Amino acid sequence: MGVLDRITDPRVLRGLSDAELESLAAEIRDRLVSTVARTGGHLGPNLGVVELTIAAHRVFDSPRDPVVFDTGHQAYVHKMLTGRQNDFDRLKQAGGLSGYPSRAESEHDWVENSHASTALSYADGMAKAFAVRGESERTVVAVIGDGALTGGMAWEAINNIADGPQTGPGRRPLVIVVNDNGRSYSPTVGGLAKRLTGLRTDPRYEQALEVVKRTLGRTALVGQPLYEALHGVKKGLKDLLAPQGMFEDLGLKYIGPIDGHDRAVVEQALIQAKGFGGPVLVHCLTQKGYGYEPALRDEVDQMHGPGPFDPATGRPAGSPSRQWTDVFSDTMVAAGRERSDVVAITAAMLGPTGLEAFARAFPDRCFDVGIAEQHATTSATGMAMAGLHPVVVLYATFLNRAFDQILMDCALHRAGVTFVLDRSGVTGTDGPSHNGMWDMSILQPVPGLRIAAPRDGTRLLEQFAEALDVDDAPTVVRYPKGSVPQDVEALERVGGVDVLTRAETEDVLLVAVGAMAGAGVDAAERLDAQGVGVTVVDPRWVKPVDEALVDLARRHRLVVTVEDNGRVGGVGSAVAQVLRDAGADVPIRDFGIPQRFLDHAKRDEILADVGLTGQGLAREVSGLVAALDSDTEAGDDATSTVRP
Ligand SMILES: Cc1ncc(C[n+]2csc(CCOP(=O)(O)OP(=O)(O)O)c2C)c(N)n1
Ligand SMILES: CC(=O)[C@@H](O)[C@H](O)COP(=O)(O)O
Ligand SMILES: [Mg+2]
């Protein structure tokens, strides 16, 4: 039985010897590599926080002292130390452990969403609550990466935290642990990163670490006295310790920089920080992928989030088929060659969004703004105002936080900005906050904005080109995670709508949005075998709704829409509204993702579970047609049965 198996509760950590703690760290790393090699997941980030997570759980009393992880992708070690090590082998599997903290899994998990730069705000709120409740002996710990620190919300929180009372009954003990590994996926960008990274590249960096280590190790001081001691000893390195000045100028106490892989030093720093009793920032220097050579050697992203891989080499297991992202990557490079006004913007996700090739080909026309989707949107609007056609490439779910910028900055100015949303629809194993299931709902009210949902790679290329030709309104092109399907050729085009199948009878008009075309065609074949005639169409541009759908609808007994987006306020709702406004009295039923947060599982498992498959759709539509038939026989109003 190893040490890890004995950790039934984080308090057990306090009784371990240094040797046992060393062994524990090694066991955790082995478990991380062996499990993630099978399941896929955030290997690099978690290898980088083994020591600091052990230290945090030895010094603080979770869950009474909340330990909050920004983004949460680096909480696997926390899960192992809070009694879930034996469930770890089912990481990210349906019914298994979530890849992020989960309140349903453990009282030690406070925050479960995985959108970056939020931890300090949660922590600020918790610290304020403890002060109001007279529980200022509780300390809130927030672990935040250098990448997440490039998100604006983190600075809104720091502005508040630094302003809080440092002592007395209303004090708010809050320890910010900056896990600074110098990277998001790729090296972290921006002025802040340069100040933080400056430490690593300056030859006096080792001296700084040594100074802090000696001071921490030698003194029994805590709180203010320690702080003075540290400050005084380091003042000779003041210009090197730029981050210290930056945070202190804001009124935030700063301890560091320290070696985030030296557990004893991290513990001493946390003990001193805890003793301070107010808000303190502990700056840990770590390496993403630490302790696993293939990750450290991975120059792309230090195995930030690999799929299954060979643990001996770190190389991917199997060869992935062509992904939607690959098609976009090639399309974007071609567009860059054709038009010098086309530029790209990424929010710290150059690789995952397929922009690396464009960045290599056009280094001066590709901008990484850090994890800052709101800034990306309005900066792109500025670019469009000044004569460029910017392409902002995000995961669909991360667009949510830039809604006001899209509405009030981009659309209000009719700016020709193109948003490319990868990971739209159900993503699956990354859990509820990563599904791209809201974009075609939240963007419906945006005046002038247009949305394209390509059904395959060829249409992605076509519709992206059409989007680039729009210079007086924001355009959106959205596609899902995973392999790009075989092309689905159209029989004809009616207005802007592609007709994909025709039948002898025009019973059902099935409007299949984007990647749902395959399921729509499959459903049509199944229904045809039951004698139900289905015309499947792909609207291509789903906003605004193409008027051609009205005439097509009038020729059928029933209209069905299907989209890889939330049902509420989605394309189906918009089509129904257009049909109503046109007086097209045809029953309509819309299919989409139900309005709930989806537990993690594979994309196909979830799509089957919510009925967004050919089989599921055929079953539902068959029932609707049968209801129409019985209504017709009974002479009832045919719409009474199927109107939503
Ligand atoms: C709002 C938002 N944008 C983008 C992402 C995608 N993302 C997940 S982790 C990550 C990098 C985080 O870097 P850092 O905070 O330094 O943590 P590390 O992985 O280095 O431990 C990004 C960009 C996200 N989760 N949330
Ligand atoms: C934590 C985070 O937001 C990203 O790392 C995300 O998990 C990547 O998702 P993909 O694996 O779909 O690229
Ligand atoms: Mg980082």
Side-chain angles (χ1 to χ4, degrees):
M1 183 186 201
V3 180
L4 179 56
D5 295 324
R6 290 161 41 196
I7 315 298
T8 52
D9 178 287
R11 292 190 183 91
V12 172
L13 293 167
R14 296 175 198 160
L16 297 183
S17 67
D18 284 350
E20 286 171 320
L21 288 164
E22 289 285 318
S23 165
L24 174 63
E27 286 177 47
I28 289 173
R29 280 198 166 85
D30 290 347
R31 186 74 62 90
L32 285 171
V33 172
S34 60
T35 302
V36 179
R38 214 171 10 85
T39 65
H42 290 100
L43 181 69
N46 282 280
L47 286 168
V49 296
V50 173
E51 289 75 18
L52 72 82
T53 306
I54 293 173
H57 278 299
R58 276 171 49 90
V59 173
F60 297 99
D61 183 24
S62 170
R64 184 162 172 68
D65 297 332
V67 181
V68 177
F69 292 88
D70 197 287
T71 316
H73 61 308
Q74 77 293 52
Y76 298 176
V77 181
H78 161 78
K79 291 198 174 200
M80 290 193 218
L81 299 178
T82 50
R84 287 166 278 180
Q85 62 275 54
N86 296 327
D87 305 322
F88 194 61
D89 60 347
R90 296 196 60 231
L91 176 71
K92 298 181 75 167
Q93 317 294 309
L97 282 188
S98 162
Y100 300 93
S102 161
R103 295 165 69 92
E105 284 177 19
S106 168
E107 61 177 347
H108 293 280
D109 293 7
W110 285 73
V111 170
E112 54 190 54
N113 98 339
S114 52
H115 286 204
S117 316
T118 61
L120 303 189
S121 297
Y122 287 111
D124 173 57
M126 293 173 190
K128 284 170 178 168
F130 294 151
V132 168
R133 290 161 52 97
E135 298 176 330
S136 287
E137 74 288 353
R138 299 174 70 173
T139 301
V140 184
V141 183
V143 179
I144 184 168
D146 55 301
L149 266 181
T150 60
M153 193 171 159
W155 293 90
E156 293 169 25
I158 286 177
N159 185 44
N160 269 226
I161 291 166
D163 191 31
Q166 316 268 347
T167 56
R171 65 189 171 81
R172 302 174 198 157
L174 195 164
V175 177
I176 300 171
V177 179
V178 174
N179 171 35
D180 178 7
N181 54 27
R183 305 179 74 98
S184 275
Y185 281 76
S186 41
T188 305
V189 297
L192 167 69
K194 284 198 178 68
R195 302 294 288 264
L196 289 178
T197 313
L199 271 179
R200 296 168 186 278
T201 48
D202 188 304
R204 292 170 297 163
Y205 147 55
E206 291 299 338
Q207 188 187 351
L209 285 192
E210 202 37 48
V211 157
V212 176
K213 185 171 179 175
R214 275 204 318 272
T215 311
L216 283 173
R218 248 201 354 253
T219 172
L221 298 173
V222 289
Q224 189 67 24
L226 159 84
Y227 170 68
E228 298 306 339
L230 263 179
H231 204 68
V233 166
K234 288 188 297 178
K235 65 173 179 289
L237 300 162
K238 189 159 75 275
D239 59 325
L240 167 64
L241 297 174
Q244 172 168 351
M246 179 172 60
F247 291 114
E248 288 183 336
D249 290 349
L250 286 171
L252 205 55
K253 296 292 179 241
Y254 171 97
I255 295 178
I258 62 174
D259 176 355
H261 297 301
D262 184 329
R263 190 238 350 123
V265 168
V266 176
E267 261 184 54
Q268 288 165 344
L270 294 180
I271 289 166
Q272 311 301 354
K274 183 178 180 181
F276 196 82
V280 190
L281 184 142
V282 178
H283 182 189
C284 295
L285 298 173
T286 64
Q287 279 186 287
K288 185 174 277 197
Y290 186 81
Y292 180 58
E293 271 312 305
L296 290 172
R297 280 198 310 268
D298 173 16
E299 287 169 9
V300 174
D301 64 13
Q302 292 184 312
M303 297 184 78
H304 173 91
F309 61 89
D310 175 351
T313 61
R315 276 197 286 274
S319 52
S321 55
R322 189 158 165 75
Q323 305 285 293
W324 280 96
T325 309
D326 300 327
V327 177
F328 169 69
S329 177
D330 297 343
T331 303
M332 185 68 189
V333 170
R337 288 207 181 94
E338 260 177 60
R339 290 183 41 177
S340 60
D341 64 328
V342 169
V343 295
I345 296 180
T346 176
M349 297 183 78
L350 191 79
T353 58
L355 281 177
E356 262 166 348
F358 183 88
R360 278 195 301 274
F362 311 103
D364 299 336
R365 291 160 52 193
C366 190
F367 301 90
D368 182 349
V369 297
I371 309 180
E373 289 82 2
Q374 294 164 323
H375 166 63
T377 299
T378 306
S379 174
T381 301
M383 288 174 163
M385 288 171 168
L388 296 180
H389 191 115
V391 178
V392 181
V393 193
L394 306 172
Y395 282 9
T397 188
F398 302 137
L399 178 90
N400 300 346
R401 62 173 45 178
F403 174 74
D404 189 61
Q405 286 76 15
I406 287 175
L407 179 66
M408 284 302 152
D409 299 339
C410 196
L412 180 74
H413 291 101
R414 298 181 181 77
V417 176
T418 296
F419 295 88
V420 171
L421 303 184
D422 195 336
R423 276 33 176 206
S424 70
V426 173
T427 51
T429 54
D430 233 349
S433 51
H434 268 68
N435 291 304
M437 55 187 274
W438 296 284
D439 56 291
M440 291 199 294
S441 299
I442 61 174
L443 294 175
Q444 288 296 341
V446 181
L449 178 139
R450 304 179 199 183
I451 303 174
R455 63 176 182 270
D456 54 32
T458 299
R459 266 34 75 173
L460 169 51
L461 197 149
E462 285 174 6
Q463 292 171 236
F464 181 66
E466 291 162 18
L468 292 183
D469 285 341
V470 177
D471 59 8
D472 61 354
T475 50
V476 175
V477 180
R478 54 105 68 184
Y479 47 81
K481 176 172 186 174
S483 304
V484 65
Q486 290 292 326
D487 278 359
V488 180
E489 295 309 333
L491 301 177
E492 63 174 314
R493 180 160 301 173
V494 177
V497 175
D498 275 356
V499 177
L500 305 183
T501 71
R502 280 217 180 282
E504 280 175 29
T505 57
E506 293 182 316
D507 298 314
V508 180
L509 177 69
L510 197 160
V511 182
V513 173
M516 288 290 108
V521 170
D522 179 25
E525 287 163 5
R526 294 167 185 268
L527 288 160
D528 184 56
Q530 300 170 28
V532 176
V534 181
T535 307
V536 180
V537 296
D538 165 13
R540 301 180 77 257
W541 289 84
V542 294
K543 180 183 186 298
V545 173
D546 195 305
E547 292 297 330
L549 285 178
V550 177
D551 293 339
L552 282 164
R554 285 198 169 103
R555 290 167 23 199
H556 291 77
R557 301 173 58 207
L558 169 69
V559 175
V560 165
T561 63
V562 58
E563 59 197 289
D564 190 3
N565 182 80
R567 267 196 74 209
V568 175
V571 174
S573 303
V575 170
Q577 188 168 39
V578 165
L579 296 184
R580 265 198 312 277
D581 294 351
D585 188 18
V586 184
I588 180 168
R589 174 55 62 88
D590 57 292
F591 293 97
I593 303 169
Q595 191 179 19
R596 66 169 189 262
F597 292 114
L598 302 171
D599 289 338
H600 61 276
K602 289 188 175 61
R603 171 178 162 87
D604 291 345
E605 290 171 333
I606 293 175
L607 290 174
D609 179 50
V610 299
L612 294 181
T613 59
Q615 185 180 21
L617 288 167
R619 186 173 48 246
E620 290 297 320
V621 173
S622 172
L624 293 170
V625 172
L628 274 178
D629 291 343
S630 63
D631 283 355
T632 308
E633 279 152 28
D636 291 351
D637 166 9
T639 60
S640 64
T641 313
V642 292
R643 267 218 188 285

